[in-house]
Amino acid sequence: MVERRRCLSGMRPTGPLHLGHLVGALENWRKLQAEYDCFFMVADYHALMSEYEHPERLRTWSYENVTDWLASGIDPSRSVIFRQSDVPEHVELFTILAIMTPLGWVERVPTYKEQLRELSGRELSTYGFLGYPILQAADILLYQAHVVPVGEDQLPHLELAREIVRRFHHLYRTQIFPEPEALLTPAPRLAGLDGRKMSKSYGNTINLSETPEAIRRLAQQMFTDPKRIKMTDPGHPQTCNVCGYWKVFAPERAATVWEECRTARRGCVQNKQELAEVLVQLTEPYRQARPVLQGGASAASGQERYAKIERVLQEGAAKARAVAQRTIADVKRAVGIAS
Ligand code: TRP
C-alpha cells in the first residue's frame, strides 16, 4: 500500500465544543480521514499554559471534547486520537526546539501579544506561555506531519514551525522533517448569536451538547437584519445572521429561505424557529453520546463514558508514542545527544 501523507491537528480542552468548532474544525477533520493518516490531539499542555491557575476541569473537558470528536465521525480505528500529556516525547522535543529557537522569533509571533491582551484577567507573562508556539511546532514535527488543518489565527504558528524546521536542518545538516503546510478550513468563521465570532469568551455560543429547549431559546436570541423592523419590511439576508446560518447548516433550503426573507414572506421569528429545528436535528448525535444529559440516567453513566474515552485515548497514545519515539531518536542523534 502507498504511504499516505500525515495530518496532525489539536484542540485545547478548555470548555465545551460549540457549532463554531463543528464547522471550523470537526467537519474538516472528519473528511481529512479519507485522504491522510490523521493524528488528532487533545492539547492539554497548551490548555494548561493559560489555565494553570485553575486547571481543575482540564481532565473532564478532555473527555467531553473527545466525546464530541467521536460523535462527529472522528474514528479511532482510522485516526490516532490521543492526549498530548500521554506522550512525553512532546515535552522532550519542545525542550530541544526551545534551545535552538531565537528569542526574537517567539516574541514576534503576533498571537502572543494578542492573547496577553485578550486574556487580561490572567497572569500569562510566564516563561512557558512565550513558548506556546514552540510546543505546537513540537506537536507537528514529532509526527512528521505534512499538513495541519487550522484556522487563520494559527497561521503565524505554522510559519514559525516551518522556520524551526529550516533552522534545524541547516544546523544539523539533516532532513528529518517535512515543512508542514497549513490546510485552511474551507468554512468561513461562524458568527455567534450576537454576530461576533462564536467564542466561549463572548458568551455567544450554541454548544454541541445543548438540549433542544436550550437551542430553541438561544436561536430566538440571535441577531437578525437590523434594518428590518416590521415583518412587512423586505429583509436583507446577506446581513442577517440567521440567514447566514441557513447557508451553513441547510444549504439546500437556503435559497428559498433567503428569497422569502427578501420578499417579506418569511418573518424573523418563523425564520429562527425553523432554523432551531435544523440545529436540533444536527446536534442529535452529540446528545445521544451523553445519555446522562437527557435526564433519568444515573451520574455513573458519565463515569462510564469517561472510562470508555480514557481507553480510546490510551490506545491512541500507544500508537502515537510508537511514531514519536522513532522521531525523537532521530532528533537526539542529530543534535548529538545519546539515545
Ligand atoms: N494552538 C492550537 C489552537 O489553539 C491548538 C494546537 C496545539 C494545535 N497544538 C497543535 C493545532 C498542533 C494544530 C497543530 O487552536
Side-chain angles (χ1 to χ4, degrees):
M1 221 181 80
V2 198
E3 276 257 314
R4 298 198 301 175
R5 302 210 306 156
R6 287 211 186 118
C7 165
L8 177 133
S9 198
M11 252 186 228
R12 294 176 308 121
T14 55
L17 299 191
H18 50 63
L19 292 175
H21 294 109
L22 183 64
V23 299
L26 293 179
E27 294 273 4
N28 195 29
W29 288 12
R30 179 171 53 75
K31 293 189 195 129
L32 290 168
Q33 296 181 111
E35 199 182 330
Y36 296 94
D37 275 339
C38 291
F39 292 77
F40 297 121
M41 181 186 77
V42 177
D44 57 347
Y45 273 123
H46 278 107
L48 191 59
M49 285 179 176
S50 60
E51 312 298 310
Y52 68 91
E53 292 167 298
H54 300 285
E56 299 80 14
R57 300 200 62 187
L58 287 188
R59 200 174 173 82
T60 49
W61 285 133
S62 302
Y63 293 140
E64 290 298 333
N65 291 3
V66 174
T67 300
D68 291 329
W69 296 8
L70 300 180
S72 76
I74 312 292
D75 177 355
S77 69
R78 293 209 284 166
S79 300
V80 180
I81 299 173
F82 71 103
R83 183 170 46 202
Q84 191 180 33
S85 62
D86 287 332
V87 183
E89 286 77 12
H90 286 257
V91 184
E92 277 191 274
L93 184 55
F94 166 66
T95 300
I96 294 170
L97 299 181
I99 287 169
M100 47 152 284
T101 303
L103 195 51
W105 289 14
V106 276
E107 286 174 335
R108 242 189 284 125
V109 173
T111 48
Y112 177 61
K113 285 182 203 118
E114 270 165 38
Q115 292 268 327
L116 284 188
R117 230 179 299 120
E118 265 184 40
L119 303 173
S120 59
R122 305 180 200 173
E123 174 53 277
L124 290 182
S125 310
T126 64
Y127 180 58
F129 194 65
L130 182 63
Y132 183 109
I134 303 185
L135 178 59
Q136 187 166 348
D139 299 337
I140 299 165
L141 303 190
L142 201 48
Y143 302 94
Q144 294 163 312
H146 301 89
V147 296
V148 183
V150 284
E152 237 173 35
D153 59 316
Q154 296 289 309
L155 289 180
H157 295 173
L158 256 290
E159 200 43 53
L160 180 74
R162 294 159 62 87
E163 277 173 322
I164 290 176
V165 166
R166 292 194 283 268
R167 181 166 168 84
F168 190 98
H169 289 165
H170 172 77
L171 281 169
Y172 306 112
R173 302 190 199 300
T174 176
Q175 292 286 329
I176 298 179
F177 309 112
E179 274 188 37
E181 265 171 59
L183 269 190
L184 278 184
T185 310
R189 135 183 317 190
L190 187 72
L193 300 176
D194 57 0
R196 292 184 293 173
K197 177 193 171 189
M198 186 175 279
S199 162
K200 175 166 61 96
S201 47
Y202 293 148
N204 63 1
T205 66
I206 297 179
N207 297 335
L208 295 176
S209 55
E210 218 85 67
T211 61
E213 301 72 51
I215 291 178
R216 293 183 185 114
R217 180 172 44 77
L218 291 169
Q220 283 306 323
Q221 293 169 17
M222 287 180 75
F223 286 23
T224 51
D225 171 12
K227 293 210 202 78
R228 191 172 182 197
I229 315 283
K230 299 192 298 302
M231 202 199 132
T232 48
D233 296 340
H236 304 85
Q238 63 286 357
T239 57
C240 169
N241 199 11
V242 177
C243 287
Y245 269 52
W246 277 105
K247 274 239 160 114
V248 175
F249 294 108
E252 70 290 348
R253 284 176 64 191
T256 315
V257 167
W258 278 45
E259 186 53 27
E260 289 173 359
C261 165
R262 223 181 263 125
T263 51
R265 279 176 293 148
R266 165 179 287 259
C268 295
V269 172
Q270 177 199 357
N271 206 20
K272 291 175 182 180
Q273 276 165 354
E274 291 186 16
L275 175 71
E277 297 315 311
V278 170
L279 298 179
V280 165
Q281 204 179 13
L282 182 95
T283 48
E284 186 56 26
Y286 305 94
R287 284 185 298 277
Q288 291 272 335
R290 297 177 169 79
V292 108
L293 287 180
Q294 311 220 317
S298 71
S301 66
Q303 293 306 316
E304 246 168 63
R305 167 160 64 91
Y306 288 180
K308 226 165 76 194
I309 302 282
E310 182 62 36
R311 282 197 294 279
V312 169
L313 290 173
Q314 290 307 318
E315 278 170 31
K319 293 184 209 159
R321 269 202 102 173
V323 178
Q325 284 173 340
R326 281 198 297 274
T327 311
I328 208 77
D330 287 348
V331 167
K332 283 184 172 173
R333 214 171 298 120
V335 304
I337 284 192
S339 78

